[in-house]
């Protein structure tokens, strides 16, 4: 069972029910559960969307798209049924926040799904969890069943005359399915390969119908926002970055864990105060600030606020909120190789720049890491990564290229040390080890 | 109700499948869960399971195999009773994930995607399992084990050998 952590700087909105047994519907009801959805029914779709817009909530999956605006893009009238899709395929390395959310507050996700449904005029929502999260799927399934038993889901919810159903779904192991259109393919019983956009899901999504797809944390924010008011939520964060978010701080820190911090909170403080500083008194070397796809920050670059815009200005991304901390002992070459190996493994093979690029970079870095590279290899890795950017259907190609560029540009010296034979590590990567690499 | 004769699944699973194919706007949406649940029961997705699932969803077998080959958790060959999945992705790697993997290899005497001769354990190096803040972590079947040390792994393996391990399905 994941350990719950706490720190005085936390602002608990979405995590306020953690550790209180709120997976139980009675406890959830005691803690203001299912009040927001009733308010939403009373006030109507326009009010919901305006409140969400005012909250400044931006997508917590990583892209940071304003949620209220996303909901407003769904056409009011549609011949095909509309759907709400909750993305709980949490797979970005360094990210485990939805894990905690599903475990401690599954009803907030159900209630949020209902609210999104009311906002766009949908009658059916799906909650999709990655296949590895079976024990969490059980928890969500029980929560959904309990909500049906209470009459909160199904026909005529809360006497509104509106029907709303929720189906839970399991994946079966695929990072790529976390991408919204690939997730829809998977939910339609197909290989999780991405669709070309446009059309966007808000117009043509699941089963060809208009679809709102949101990350589980994004959806779970909706009930809190409706109860506290959009402006009040927005004020917790920074300009254009409303509210709080769950940050999973992992790697070389003293107190790893999932913490809820206001948007814009200092990255330095998150590492040194909230997570207790670098493990065993070592020095900080680098930070991957928002899941493995985000360009690395060096130890000198951490005086930055954790919101989408400030992180963008710093040349990286807020991403999924998974902050991975590297101490001075870490070999960046080895780390970069592990990251690209992941993306090479997970590339679905649909787009050639991603399929070939990840493989080629992995092979090159394997050679460099084993002490057999040449200076040209570093330029070649950079050239490959630059040419993957923006040339694929989905962002997996970018997700592989961006961190690679960061490592090569900011730690070029370390790559050169390997090539000059000043550093040789035992090759680490054991999956598909290259034969005769030297 | 399905008209497909059940030959290989337990009555409970067959009943679950009968229900699953009815709940979605399109029955094919049940495919990925059905493959996974079939594997949970049989240990892998056998040819017979592919044939029956295809029939239940009115798909050709090739379509089912096409989907089956995409998802990393699905396998077409038996694994051990307990599939040990050690994460070595970045957060786990930083906190000793590879040490845990090596320890598992040594203790069980098997490598990646291999099974012990007695069929009790199989081993897999896996990508991020979403337990980054409690690293290093692994899953044995669906059960998560966190903050691992080699000593903890030894205790766990003994528990599973003694039939005391949890087996979440």
């Amino acid at each position: 069972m994941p350990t719950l952590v706490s720190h005085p700087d936390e602002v608990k909105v979405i995590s306020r029910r953690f550790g209180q047994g709120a997976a139980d519907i009675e406890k959830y009801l005691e803690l203001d559960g299912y009040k927001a959805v009733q308010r939403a029914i009373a006030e109507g779709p326009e009010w919901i969307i305006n409140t969400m817009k005012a909250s400044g909530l931006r997508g917590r999956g990583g892209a940071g798209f304003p949620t209220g605006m996303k909901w407003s893009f769904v056409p009011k009238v549609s011949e095909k049924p509309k759907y709400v899709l909750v993305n709980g395929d949490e797979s970005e390395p360094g990210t485990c926040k939805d894990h905690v959310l599903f475990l401690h507050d599954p009803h907030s996700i159900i209630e949020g799904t209902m609210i999104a449904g009311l906002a766009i005029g949908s009658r059916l929502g799906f909650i999709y969890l990655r296949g590895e999260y079976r024990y969490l799927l059980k928890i969500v399934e029980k929560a959904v069943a309990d909500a049906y038993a209470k009459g909160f889901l199904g026909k005529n919810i809360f006497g509104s005359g509106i029907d709303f159903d929720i189906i839970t779904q399991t994946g079966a192991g695929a990072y790529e399915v976390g991408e919204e259109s690939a997730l829809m393919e998977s939910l339609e019983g197909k290989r999780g390969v991405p669709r070309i956009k446009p059309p966007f899901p808000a117009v043509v999504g699941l089963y060809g119908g208009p679809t709102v797809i949101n990350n589980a944390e994004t959806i779970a924010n909706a009930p809190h926002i409706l109860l506290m008011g959009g402006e009040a939520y927005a004020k917790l964060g920074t300009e254009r970055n409303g509210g709080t978010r769950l940050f999973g701080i992992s790697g070389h820190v003293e107190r790893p864990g999932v913490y809820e911090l206001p948007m814009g909170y200092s990255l330095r403080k998150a590492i040194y105060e909230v997570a207790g500083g670098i493990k065993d008194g070592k020095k900080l070397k680098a930070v991957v600030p928002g899941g493995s796809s985000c360009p690395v920050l060096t130890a000198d670059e951490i005086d930055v606020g954790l919101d989408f815009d400030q992180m963008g200005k710093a040349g990286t991304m807020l991403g999924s909120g998974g902050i991975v901390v590297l101490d001075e002992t870490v070999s960046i070459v080895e780390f970069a190789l592990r990251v690209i190996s992941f993306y090479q493994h997970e590339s679905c093979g649909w787009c050639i720049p991603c399929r070939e690029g990840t493989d080629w970079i992995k092979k090159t870095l394997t050679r460099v890491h084993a002490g057999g590279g040449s200076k040209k290899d570093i330029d070649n890795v950079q050239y490959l990564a630059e040419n993957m950017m923006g040339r694929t259907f989905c962002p997996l190609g970018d997700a592989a290229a961006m961190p690679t560029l960061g490592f090569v540009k900011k730690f070029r010296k370390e790559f050169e040390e390997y090539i000059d034979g000043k550093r040789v590590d035992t090759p680490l990567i054991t999956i598909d080890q290259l034969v005769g690499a030297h | 109700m399905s008209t497909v004769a059940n030959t290989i699944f337990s009555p409970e699973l067959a009943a679950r499948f009968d229900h699953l194919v009815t709940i979605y706007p399109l029955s094919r949406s049940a495919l990925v869960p059905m493959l996974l649940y079939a594997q949970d029961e049989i240990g892998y997705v056998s040819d017979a399971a592919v044939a029956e699932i295809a029939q239940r969803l009115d798909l050709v077998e090739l379509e089912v195999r096409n989907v089956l080959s995409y998802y990393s958790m699905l396998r077409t060959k038996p694994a051990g009773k307990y599939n040990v999945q050690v994460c070595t992705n970045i957060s786990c790697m930083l906190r000793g994930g590879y040490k845990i993997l090596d320890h598992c290899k040594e203790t069980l005497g098997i490598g990646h995607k291999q099974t012990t001769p007695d069929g009790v354990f199989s081993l897999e190096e896996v990508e991020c399992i979403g337990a980054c803040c409690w690293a290093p972590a692994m899953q044995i079947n669906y059960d998560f084990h966190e903050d691992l040390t080699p000593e903890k792994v030894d205790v766990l393996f003994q528990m599973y050998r003694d039939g005391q391990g949890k087996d979440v399905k």
Side-chain angles (χ1 to χ4, degrees), chain A residues 122-340:
Chain A
S122 159
R123 301 290 167 256
L124 181 58
F126 293 87
I127 302 177
Y128 185 112
L129 273 75
R130 63 179 301 185
E132 292 84 349
Y133 284 180
R134 175 63 60 83
Y135 89 103
L136 299 170
L137 180 70
K138 296 257 172 207
I139 291 169
V140 178
E141 279 174 350
K142 178 173 187 306
V144 168
D146 290 346
Y148 270 106
K150 288 261 181 207
F152 298 167
L153 284 169
K155 300 270 178 227
N156 188 21
I157 54 168
F158 297 101
S160 60
I162 297 167
D163 304 339
F164 194 79
D165 288 294
I166 287 182
I167 295 175
T168 51
Q169 180 84 350
T170 176
Y175 168 77
E176 173 56 17
V177 166
E179 193 277 331
E180 57 183 18
S181 67
L183 194 147
M184 291 174 195
E185 289 286 302
S186 174
L187 190 40
E188 291 179 11
K190 301 176 207 156
R191 294 170 75 89
V193 293
R195 299 171 179 173
I196 198 156
K197 290 177 233 176
F200 290 94
V203 184
V204 182
L206 189 64
Y207 308 119
T211 304
V212 150
I213 174 163
N214 283 130
N215 173 258
E217 183 188 350
T218 311
I219 278 286
N221 267 297
H224 299 288
I225 290 168
L226 297 198
L227 286 184
M228 72 194 290
E231 285 79 10
Y233 181 85
K235 270 191 209 145
L236 298 175
T238 49
E239 209 190 341
R240 288 189 307 279
N241 288 269
T244 58
R245 84 172 291 184
L246 298 175
F247 290 98
I249 311 178
S250 67
H252 291 142
V253 287
E254 282 291 345
R255 287 193 303 272
V258 177
Y259 299 90
E260 181 168 7
L261 298 168
M263 294 290 275
Y265 192 84
S266 153
L267 174 58
R268 177 179 294 277
K269 278 173 77 181
I271 295 169
Y272 282 98
E273 290 175 30
V274 177
I278 311 304
K279 198 171 172 280
D280 303 328
K282 293 217 167 59
K283 275 193 205 141
L284 175 69
K285 181 170 191 172
V287 183
V288 176
S292 61
S293 61
C294 299
V296 65
L297 293 174
T298 65
D300 303 329
E301 295 173 320
I302 60 166
D303 289 302
V304 55
L306 288 164
D307 71 30
F308 290 103
D309 301 326
Q310 293 182 63
M311 294 301 272
K313 267 191 211 141
T316 184
M317 300 184 300
L318 187 64
S320 63
I323 301 171
V324 185
V325 178
L326 286 65
D327 76 14
E328 56 190 327
T329 65
V330 178
S331 152
I332 292 293
V333 175
E334 193 168 82
F335 195 84
L337 174 56
R338 186 63 187 89
V339 170
I340 199 67

Side-chain angles (χ1 to χ4, degrees), chain B residues 2-104:
Chain B
S2 166
T3 53
V4 179
N6 178 51
T7 50
I8 50 169
F9 302 124
S10 67
E12 295 77 33
L13 187 61
R16 191 173 183 193
F17 284 175
D18 286 340
H19 174 67
L20 259 186
V21 299
T22 65
I23 62 171
Y24 300 96
L26 286 175
S27 63
R28 185 178 174 152
S29 288
L31 178 55
V32 175
M34 281 169 85
L35 289 168
L36 195 57
Y37 297 152
Q39 172 170 295
D40 292 343
E41 185 166 288
I42 303 172
Y44 67 109
V45 185
S46 62
D47 289 347
V50 169
E52 182 165 329
I53 289 170
Q55 214 187 342
R56 282 174 176 271
L57 293 173
D58 199 19
L59 297 170
V60 295
E61 283 186 31
L62 184 64
E63 279 180 280
V64 173
R65 287 188 192 282
N66 190 27
V67 172
L68 166 61
S69 65
Y70 177 82
Y71 295 91
S72 63
M73 288 172 70
L74 299 173
R75 54 179 177 260
T76 51
K77 289 191 175 72
K81 186 177 177 207
Y82 300 115
N83 190 29
V84 178
Q85 302 141 78
V86 183
C87 175
T88 59
N89 211 306
I90 50 174
S91 300
C92 283
M93 163 183 165
L94 293 175
R95 293 185 81 101
Y98 278 96
K99 211 169 102 186
I100 297 298
L101 179 67
D102 288 344
H103 183 74
C104 290

Side-chain angles (χ1 to χ4, degrees), chain A residues 11-33:
Chain A
V11 177
K12 299 199 178 198
V13 178
I14 196 169
S15 65
R16 73 185 178 92
R17 298 191 191 96
F18 288 9
Q20 297 194 58
D24 183 284
I25 195 164
E26 300 300 340
K27 192 71 197 175
Y28 184 72
L29 285 167
E30 238 172 72
L31 300 168
D32 299 328

